[in-house]
Amino acid sequence: TLVNYSVVQQIVGSVASTYFSKEWNTKVRVQSLSFNILDHITLRGIELYTPEGDTVYVGEKISVRFDELPISSKGLKLERVYMKNAYYCLEKYPGDNGINLNFIINHYKKEKDDDDTTRNRFVISVNQLTLRNIEYMMYLPGYQDFEYEHGVNVKAMNFKNINARMKNIRVDASYISTRIESFSAEEVSGFNLHNLKGNAYVSPNAITLTDMEVETDFSKLNGSASLL
């Protein structure tokens, strides 16, 4: 079919770039896009920036599979996601101001009746996620003024060479939950995480791991932990 030709995939990628750049009022670039409307989409050469121009994501490939129409006013529902050779930056804003993906999340929120001040939540759910060679930056409020002497800067973590498998991922505004099946990474401080398993919960006030197994260069741990 036509969508299997690289030239067509590049044209579709250009159309997608233009559409989402306008839709989200920011810069979006997709080098090429191939798809089957029934079950999958593959994007290559992806770039996403905030409306202020900060980098959110730059990656080689994202492959997505779904069992039903993936997006609606209620959220985004995906069966499997595969990400390869990418950089992703997550910044948490102070208080209840959310994260640097708010411009996308808020775009899909719809007002209810005029006499109801609540909003429908836009929830992202992924059944299975596979990561290969990912760099991940996470900035927490106050990271500019946070001082530390050694080890991992918990306010501005930078993990490279991330390889992971996760399931049952749910992103609801500033709240994230997932089951980590395997996770390995190298932090710029020199800390090497050989493997991590457990249930992870991220909220505006804490990062919590339960049913946890951790293996590093010098230790093996089991239990639960919270970063407040």
Side-chain angles (χ1 to χ4, degrees), residues 23-165:
E23 190 81 354
W24 297 338
N25 191 32
T26 190
K27 180 182 176 182
V28 179
R29 179 178 181 270
V30 179
Q31 184 177 7
S32 69
L33 188 156
S34 60
F35 65 93
N36 180 317
I37 60 174
L38 298 178
D39 62 7
H40 78 267
I41 297 174
T42 299
L43 301 90
R44 298 181 185 274
I46 312 103
E47 298 178 17
L48 173 64
Y49 302 87
T50 67
E52 294 77 26
D54 297 324
T55 302
V56 176
Y57 183 92
V58 176
E60 176 185 321
K61 177 183 178 181
I62 300 177
S63 181
V64 176
R65 289 196 170 270
F66 44 85
D67 293 333
E68 57 187 73
L69 186 65
I71 193 166
S72 69
S73 61
K74 294 182 179 179
L76 182 65
K77 185 177 181 181
L78 305 172
E79 178 61 26
R80 295 194 299 274
V81 177
Y82 175 86
M83 300 169 66
K84 177 183 177 183
N85 298 338
Y87 166 88
Y88 172 57
C89 177
L90 175 67
E91 182 171 356
K92 171 68 180 68
Y93 299 134
D96 294 325
N97 293 320
I99 60 177
N100 59 344
L101 288 173
N102 275 5
F103 67 98
I104 297 177
I105 296 170
N106 291 339
H107 176 80
Y108 292 101
K109 287 181 178 178
K110 290 187 176 180
E111 294 283 358
K112 291 186 177 180
D113 296 335
D114 292 340
D115 58 349
D116 187 351
T117 59
T118 62
R119 288 177 178 265
N120 290 322
R121 289 187 178 277
F122 185 86
V123 177
I124 301 172
S125 60
V126 180
N127 191 32
Q128 298 178 38
L129 172 65
T130 302
L131 305 177
R132 291 290 178 262
N133 189 32
I134 306 299
E135 179 177 358
Y136 172 66
M137 294 283 298
M138 184 178 75
Y139 295 115
L140 298 178
Y143 73 89
Q144 301 97 328
D145 303 318
F146 182 71
E147 297 182 2
Y148 72 106
E149 296 181 357
H150 56 82
V152 178
N153 181 353
V154 295
K155 292 279 189 176
M157 292 185 283
N158 183 358
F159 285 96
K160 297 185 177 182
N161 194 27
I162 295 173
N163 294 280
R165 289 185 294 108

